[in-house]
Amino acid sequence: MLMSGGVDSSVAAYLLKEQNYQVIGLHFKTVSDVIFSLIPEKKKVCCSPSDTQDALKIANKLDLDDFQIVDIKKEFKDKIINYFINTYKEGETPNPCMLCNRFFKFGKALEIANTYGADLVSSGHYLIKEYSKKYSTYIIKKGVDQYKDQSYFLSYIDKNTLPYLYFPLGNMYKVQIRDIAKKIGLSVANKPDSQELCFIPDNDYRRFLKQHGVNPKEGKVYDLEGNEIGTHTGYMNYTIGQRSGISYYKNADVKLHVYKIIPQNNILIVAPTEKMYSNELIVQDVNFFVDFDQVEGFCRVRKKSEEKPAVVNKISDNTLKVSFKEPIFAVTPGQFATIYDESGVVLASGVIN
């Protein structure tokens, strides 16, 4: 059982005990505790020293069969932090949580489970895993709580892990989880949800990049016609669709957004709002849960966006073309696109190219 120290994983562990499972708690340490004393949290993040203490308290209160704190700092730096830094260097916008879920929460955790002879890895995520008769395979799909659904964030985990995963909260609502936590006297019943990256407690990614040797330099800003119209503070400080942080030589008559980032020349190209909409995108490094050549479904292009109707065509074994039925705003290279069917089943996901 993945134990973050939050209310969701704590109640999930309790429910497993109620279902007569033997439960072994795993708590990952992704970065050094000293980071949280040097850089105080602005909002709640996971994997902090207080989270470790909370997870340990819950494990003791629930009388788990075992509890293990797992140091993954070196592997996490290699696979997640370096990816985060390098993606910004390439002028794209990363989503490290997607890779953390793939490699650690539902990768490394399975390796550890095997050493125990455990049958399943469980967590407090809000999504449903089940065997689909329609697709003749195990699938994941949206949890019933649409406001807490985490199917997008787990859409890049390895399909081969699905038979060994269990999500006890998928058919429950957040309010039910907090009610259970209060009823059984868990100290984390009212604990806020984690919102930011575990390795950047203050959520200041620009400070983090500078701290890790990425020193942005002022560059030029051009419009779509190739006219130089302003300056920026360094291309890695921007993402597609952004409006703030640009100095123009004169006041623009229209709202301008970052349209394209050219990292090798430290250049931003900006465009008015109406030019920021796309009808299609290409997805690479695709993770298929269900194989298909063409499907009509829905595509989500970032964590806080709605799914939009689209026709999705398989171009190769690791590439998809997504054609939207209505244009979408600010498609961002480096982010992940997730494809759903009409019932909320995750069909595939991959990196927007």
Side-chain angles (χ1 to χ4, degrees):
M1 176 69 212
L2 299 173
M3 301 285 293
S4 68
V7 65
D8 296 326
S9 61
S10 299
V11 170
Y14 164 76
L15 294 174
L16 292 178
K17 292 285 286 186
E18 289 292 291
Q19 294 166 26
N20 295 317
Y21 282 99
Q22 288 182 294
V23 182
I24 300 161
L26 294 182
H27 177 78
F28 287 132
K29 298 298 291 184
T30 58
V31 294
S32 174
D33 284 351
V34 72
I35 288 176
F36 291 88
S37 58
L38 296 174
I39 306 168
E41 300 170 68
K42 286 190 176 179
K43 294 182 180 179
K44 184 74 196 76
V45 304
C46 74
C47 309
S48 69
S50 63
D51 287 329
T52 304
Q53 292 302 312
D54 285 339
L56 184 57
K57 287 178 187 176
I58 298 301
N60 289 331
K61 181 176 179 60
L62 298 179
D63 193 25
L64 300 190
D65 295 271
D66 197 1
F67 178 78
Q68 185 179 152
I69 297 173
V70 185
D71 185 340
I72 58 169
K73 290 194 282 287
K74 183 181 184 305
E75 296 166 89
F76 189 84
K77 182 178 186 299
D78 291 342
K79 279 190 163 36
I80 307 302
I81 294 178
N82 288 345
Y83 148 80
F84 181 85
I85 294 169
N86 290 334
T87 303
Y88 271 114
K89 284 182 177 179
E90 292 165 5
E92 298 185 348
T93 305
N95 189 330
C97 296
M98 304 289 272
L99 296 190
C100 181
N101 284 331
R102 182 181 180 95
F103 292 121
F104 295 105
K105 292 179 182 176
F106 304 99
K108 181 75 172 178
L110 272 167
E111 294 176 17
I112 297 170
N114 288 335
T115 67
Y116 277 95
D119 297 319
L120 297 168
V121 168
S122 185
S123 76
H125 288 92
Y126 289 82
L127 76 161
I128 294 168
K129 180 217 86 174
E130 63 187 20
Y131 186 83
S132 168
K133 291 182 179 178
K134 176 180 178 180
Y135 296 114
S136 300
T137 188
Y138 282 100
I139 53 87
I140 56 173
K141 66 180 185 180
K142 294 180 183 179
V144 297
D145 190 336
Q146 62 176 320
Y147 298 105
K148 295 302 297 180
D149 168 58
Q150 290 166 301
S151 59
Y152 174 78
F153 285 102
L154 270 68
S155 66
Y156 208 60
I157 63 174
D158 188 341
K159 174 187 175 178
N160 294 322
T161 66
L162 294 189
Y164 311 104
L165 306 185
Y166 179 34
F167 303 105
L169 308 189
N171 287 299
M172 303 180 72
Y173 291 84
K174 183 73 176 196
V175 64
Q176 293 176 277
I177 303 308
R178 291 208 184 273
D179 286 346
I180 291 171
K182 292 171 186 175
K183 182 178 178 181
I184 62 175
L186 295 185
S187 58
V188 295
N190 294 311
K191 186 175 180 177
D193 294 337
S194 298
Q195 298 183 52
E196 311 297 353
L197 298 176
C198 63
F199 55 95
I200 311 181
D202 62 353
N203 198 35
D204 187 347
Y205 85 90
R206 296 179 179 89
R207 174 202 56 74
F208 178 84
L209 291 174
K210 284 184 182 179
Q211 182 184 337
H212 286 78
V214 180
N215 297 307
K217 296 179 181 179
E218 184 178 284
K220 295 178 180 179
V221 177
Y222 293 85
D223 63 18
L224 291 177
E225 286 72 44
N227 302 306
E228 182 182 331
I229 60 172
T231 60
H232 62 80
T233 60
Y235 72 86
M236 68 286 295
N237 291 334
Y238 301 85
T239 189
I240 302 300
Q242 185 172 328
R243 289 184 56 215
S244 61
I246 295 175
S247 298
Y248 293 104
Y249 298 143
K250 64 178 181 178
N251 290 332
D253 295 330
V254 295
K255 293 180 180 179
L256 296 172
H257 307 258
V258 176
Y259 177 81
K260 187 174 184 180
I261 299 171
I262 306 176
Q264 60 269 30
N265 298 322
N266 194 25
I267 284 172
L268 299 184
I269 296 175
V270 296
T273 305
E274 64 269 17
K275 296 290 186 180
M276 294 301 300
Y277 288 85
S278 303
N279 290 307
E280 59 186 33
L281 57 83
I282 299 295
V283 183
Q284 294 187 320
D285 300 323
V286 177
N287 181 51
F288 284 97
F289 290 97
V290 176
D291 195 16
F292 58 84
D293 291 321
Q294 184 185 76
V295 68
E296 285 204 34
F298 298 85
C299 180
R300 184 174 179 181
V301 298
R302 62 179 63 84
K303 64 181 181 180
K304 292 184 178 179
S305 70
E306 295 180 6
E307 296 91 39
K308 297 294 184 182
V311 176
V312 185
N313 285 281
K314 183 178 181 181
I315 297 175
S316 71
D317 287 343
N318 69 347
T319 308
L320 298 174
K321 179 180 178 181
V322 181
S323 302
F324 292 94
K325 296 188 176 182
E326 58 184 62
I328 62 166
F329 181 76
V331 171
T332 305
Q335 286 287 289
F336 284 74
T338 298
I339 312 301
Y340 295 87
D341 74 4
E342 70 284 349
S343 61
V345 172
V346 177
L347 302 178
S349 70
V351 183
I352 298 172
N353 178 258

